[in-house]
Amino acid sequence: MNAARGFRAMIVGPPGCGKGFVAQMMVKTYGAVHISTGDMLRDHIRYRTWLGKRVERFTTRGKLVPDNLLTRIVTDAIGKAGNRNLILDGFPRNINQARALDEMMTLDFVLDLFLPMQAIIARLRTRLVHPASGRVYNDHGDMAPRVPGRDDITGERLVRRADDTSHSVVMARQRDYVQETYPVIQHYSQKNILHTILARQHESMVPLVKRYLAKRWPKRIHQRFRPQRRIELVCNQGPRSKSSTQQYRWSVS
Ligand code: AP5
Ligand code: MG
């Protein structure tokens, strides 16, 4: 890694496995800039931008948005992040996007999060989000907000995501992940920068990821960079274990 800049990382994993939640921790602990394509697209939809109107019909059906639209907003966001620690969440999601990213920059590591399918479905049924910040919660358990239905920081109302409310859309997203994103995982495995984090049913990814990062990244990297707010409206795993891949493939087919 180049000493003059922070790390450049990506989180990959099935929809609902906890990518956003892990990214929140990396923002807090490492001052990382969090580039979540899903959050950026939802902002565009919320503010009824030109892009938002074009992508809404894809996201509400759980379908991937065309590559050219995504690549443009990600290029802008990466440019704005400068030399800070950077965490990509939700991009690249297919092999074309991975190749486009290779042209833009070199990743230092990829965290491949794996969680059993049953746990994912259960979490998505009860997920709540704060639309303005992208913060994620659950309506019960350790991830519940302090005040039910309200964001811990702003006190604003939490909502359910449109693509979580229908079981068929939830399953379509899982299927797309297997078909489109597995080649991306292989791509990074071949580059030897993939680190797979395997969590059990009720286990949080966060301590597992923290342990990996503490071993791998010296403290000085994250002390030099200050936390930054999420980028808003931009235009404004060691090799994966075969058994986990097969288990997932099997569970969504
Ligand atoms: P995106 O927003 O990226 O959605 P996703 O990949 O479907 O992933 P999610 O955000 O649903 O899940 P997550 O893994 O972040 O889990 P979370 O941290 O919330 O994309 C949305 C859409 O945008 C796509 O469908 C597509 O249309 C489009 N799009 C985005 N990027 C694209 C691209 N590159 N190309 C084309 N189209 C693109 O956690 C889930 C829940 O688990 C939360 O409730 C959390 O509180 C809870 N949780 C976390 N840890 C625990 C624990 N230990 N115990 C219990 N609950 C827990
Ligand atoms: Mg997310």
Side-chain angles (χ1 to χ4, degrees):
M1 197 192 78
N2 178 344
R5 62 161 174 81
F7 61 66
R8 289 168 173 177
M10 176 219 175
I11 312 186
V12 65
C17 71
K19 299 184 292 295
F21 201 70
V22 166
Q24 271 171 224
M25 175 278 286
M26 291 176 76
V27 170
K28 252 193 239 157
T29 313
Y30 295 90
V33 175
H34 178 201
I35 299 180
S36 159
T37 43
D39 284 348
M40 289 195 288
L41 293 174
R42 281 184 289 278
D43 279 349
H44 278 281
I45 293 169
R46 206 152 60 98
Y47 293 112
R48 309 299 304 154
T49 65
W50 171 85
L51 181 67
K53 287 179 197 155
R54 287 203 59 186
V55 300
E56 190 167 18
R57 66 198 158 100
F58 296 99
T59 61
T60 49
R61 286 186 291 141
K63 292 274 137 217
L64 293 189
V65 165
D67 293 341
N68 59 331
L69 299 176
L70 256 299
T71 308
R72 227 172 63 192
I73 62 172
V74 171
T75 311
D76 281 352
I78 290 174
K80 287 186 178 159
N83 280 336
R84 291 163 179 273
N85 290 334
L86 176 77
I87 179 83
L88 282 173
D89 161 5
F91 185 95
R93 236 175 169 100
N94 62 30
I95 198 68
N96 286 337
Q97 293 179 10
R99 290 191 181 124
L101 183 66
D102 285 346
E103 307 274 303
M104 288 179 230
M105 66 173 200
T106 306
L107 288 172
D108 296 310
F109 60 96
V110 174
L111 296 172
D112 168 25
L113 309 187
F114 176 81
L115 186 72
M117 179 72 161
Q118 270 172 304
I120 289 178
I121 303 295
R123 286 178 185 191
L124 289 181
R125 265 197 216 117
T126 49
R127 170 164 64 180
L128 294 170
V129 295
H130 177 237
S133 67
R135 277 186 285 278
V136 286
Y137 299 86
N138 222 281
D139 74 4
H140 65 281
D142 292 349
M143 316 292 163
R146 282 196 285 271
V147 176
R150 298 278 166 181
D151 177 45
D152 285 352
I153 313 276
T154 63
E156 287 165 352
R157 189 182 292 280
L158 301 175
V159 299
R160 290 200 68 199
R161 260 174 49 179
D163 54 351
D164 285 348
T165 50
S166 142
H167 183 70
S168 62
V169 171
V170 167
M171 293 313 287
R173 286 158 61 203
Q174 305 294 329
R175 271 194 300 273
D176 251 26
Y177 176 74
V178 171
Q179 281 161 11
E180 300 283 336
T181 312
Y182 272 13
V184 173
I185 293 172
Q186 261 150 14
H187 181 75
Y188 293 119
S189 176
Q190 278 158 9
K191 289 179 183 278
N192 282 327
I193 55 168
L194 189 78
H195 183 80
T196 301
I197 310 266
L198 293 168
R200 287 183 292 266
Q201 190 79 4
H202 298 293
E203 198 175 14
S204 172
M205 299 281 180
V206 168
L208 303 175
V209 171
K210 272 191 171 164
R211 214 173 304 147
Y212 166 74
L213 291 172
K215 246 197 267 164
R216 176 100 200 253
W217 300 96
K219 223 172 172 195
R220 64 183 172 82
I221 290 175
H222 55 88
Q223 280 174 343
R224 283 212 313 271
F225 299 96
R226 291 232 162 133
Q228 183 182 295
R229 280 171 59 83
R230 188 170 67 111
I231 293 183
E232 313 248 357
L233 275 185
V234 176
C235 330
N236 102 35
Q237 331 190 11
R240 165 173 270 266
S241 100
K242 210 172 173 196
S243 61
S244 71
T245 306
Q246 281 169 345
Q247 189 183 349
Y248 188 79
R249 213 184 274 278
W250 174 81
S251 56
V252 294
S253 57

